Amino acid sequence: MKKKILLFADVGIDDIAALIYANLSEDIQLVGVVADYGNVPRERAIQTANYLLTFVPEGKKFPIIGGAEIPMTAKEPTFYPEIHGEYGMGPIIPDVLVDKYENFFEIVTIIKKFGKDLTIVSIGRLTSLATMYVLYPDLMGTVKDTYVMGGAFWVPGNVTAVSEANFYSDPVAARVVMNYGENVTIIPLNVTDYAIVTPQMVDYIDSKGLTELFKPMLDYYYVFYKERNPDIQGSPVHDAITLMAPLYEDMFTFKELPVFVGTTEGRVDQGQSITDIRPYIKFENNAKKHRIAFGFDYKKFYNRFMTVMTGETFE
């Protein structure tokens, strides 16, 4: 049976890589995409989501839901066209801009419809997801499980020395999700930084002709990463691997630990995700714990990602 997924996304290149993967996968049914601010403003995220929907066959189309425009910190968000392009698709500009989307509260309808069969995957800022916990905590408790791309646990961040972008950009929302979320699995930079797609992989995927968007976006993405780190061998697809996680949990090794998110504005540790990994620490029985991915099997990722993206079998 297909995994029913409600996706919260901020529409950047790695988010779109995840959407392309979902479109090509026979194991995923996207029941909705919440388009948030993040890599680009919400308006452009919605326009890009509508553009992407034109590539989705009729039987796999999904509602686009208008998400958050600003973070819970009430600060103006920062956007990243130098990384993701003006519309989150690198050099690609939609030829027609469509603003069609569903009301935010369509999320309630979707959760009530699918309930315990529904998996939430959050691959962007956590503002919209946190809003659901603030408004509908009991309803959120009916969801089967939630996967969050975010955090960096005792490894370098990608915005500050210690903070990952999704947690940093709205640390208040991240803390709400950590404090109130149930059955949450966190897929942090500890593993997503290693979900590398090389230029050779991109070229091979492109040669199979299943998607025309992937190569121009990933080539654009790689330029940024290569300039920042000349030793990097490809582009990390943080969001695609997070979308794959509910299907292939054997790709990871996990620990269940409490999570604290720093919310002090303007400090290097804004948005830092903290947990205590000392083996001798005994947590209180009522301490809320989340499952955190600390280890990653690249070969399994490579085989499964390439199998879906090319239509060939990789082993």
Side-chain angles (χ1 to χ4, degrees), residues 112-129:
K112 287 180 177 179
K113 179 178 180 179
F114 295 105
K116 285 296 182 183
D117 292 327
L118 181 66
T119 292
I120 286 176
V121 177
S122 174
I123 54 176
R125 311 319 187 223
L126 283 92
T127 314
S128 289
L129 183 58

Side-chain angles (χ1 to χ4, degrees), residues 251-286:
M251 288 195 300
F252 308 95
T253 55
F254 299 99
K255 292 183 180 179
E256 289 198 7
L257 296 163
V259 176
F260 174 82
V261 179
T263 57
T264 304
E265 182 187 341
R267 289 172 39 135
V268 68
D269 58 349
Q270 174 183 326
Q272 182 181 12
S273 50
I274 301 170
T275 191
D276 198 330
I277 58 175
R278 293 175 294 175
Y280 52 84
I281 293 298
K282 305 295 183 185
F283 299 106
E284 296 180 5
N285 290 335
N286 63 347

Side-chain angles (χ1 to χ4, degrees), residues 32-186:
V33 171
V34 183
D36 286 314
Y37 79 93
N39 297 309
V40 298
R42 185 188 80 151
E43 179 184 15
R44 289 191 174 181
I46 290 169
Q47 291 168 342
T48 296
N50 276 288
Y51 175 73
L52 294 171
L53 204 57
T54 64
F55 294 88
V56 177
E58 197 59 41
K60 297 196 74 172
K61 290 188 185 295
F62 46 79
I64 298 165
I65 299 163
E69 290 192 66
I70 57 173
M72 288 184 169
T73 58
K75 296 295 181 182
E76 286 296 316
T78 300
F79 306 117
Y80 298 92
E82 71 279 11
I83 305 175
H84 296 278
E86 294 296 331
Y87 285 85
M89 294 186 289
I92 301 171
I93 305 295
D95 48 3
V96 177
L97 299 178
V98 177
D99 295 312
K100 182 180 178 182
Y101 61 92
E102 302 293 332
N103 185 281
F104 182 81
F105 297 102
E106 180 65 17
I107 297 171
V108 174
T109 303
I110 290 171
I111 294 175
K112 287 180 177 179
K113 179 178 180 179
F114 295 105
K116 285 296 182 183
D117 292 327
L118 181 66
T119 292
I120 286 176
V121 177
S122 174
I123 54 176
R125 311 319 187 223
L126 283 92
T127 314
S128 289
L129 183 58
T131 299
M132 289 302 299
Y133 283 110
V134 170
L135 296 177
Y136 300 102
D138 292 339
L139 180 66
M140 294 299 290
T142 67
V143 172
K144 179 183 178 182
D145 47 18
T146 299
Y147 288 75
V148 171
M149 190 281 120
F153 294 88
W154 312 120
V155 297
N158 58 4
V159 176
T160 73
V162 295
S163 301
E164 176 276 331
N166 289 335
F167 280 23
Y168 175 87
S169 299
D170 194 345
V172 173
R175 186 183 283 192
V176 168
V177 174
M178 294 302 106
N179 286 359
Y180 294 97
E182 301 290 345
N183 299 320
V184 174
T185 296
I186 303 167

Side-chain angles (χ1 to χ4, degrees), residues 26 31 38 70 96 135 151 155 178 207 216-217 239 260 302 305 309:
E26 296 299 323
V31 298
I70 57 173
V96 177
L135 296 177
V155 297
M178 294 302 106
S207 74
M217 290 194 310
D239 299 336
F260 174 82
Y302 175 90
F305 184 78
M309 297 296 287

